[in-house]
Amino acid sequence: MAGFLSGHSMPGMALAGAAILTLIARAAPRPVFARVDWSIILFFAGLFVVIQGASHTGILERMFDAFAPLLSGSA
């Protein structure tokens, strides 16, 4: 938390925190990594890539503009 609040990047601080906790617990990383559901991590990584690409093309703004009248609640 201190690193994030001091302006460092959230992903970097998360990785640093995980590394520090692994060292403090003196746990071998191999069994920990064996328990990770890599398909979910790859799914979210792909999702972030797709959303970033859609954001760069401007399609998200066009979709918002198209759906905004339907979601305004003034039916």
Side-chain angles (χ1 to χ4, degrees), residues 43-55:
F43 169 76
F44 279 108
L47 182 64
F48 294 144
V49 168
V50 168
I51 294 298
Q52 186 68 27
S55 176

Side-chain angles (χ1 to χ4, degrees), residues 14-31:
L15 287 173
I20 290 170
L21 288 175
T22 301
L23 290 173
I24 290 172
R26 300 194 187 269
R30 188 173 303 269

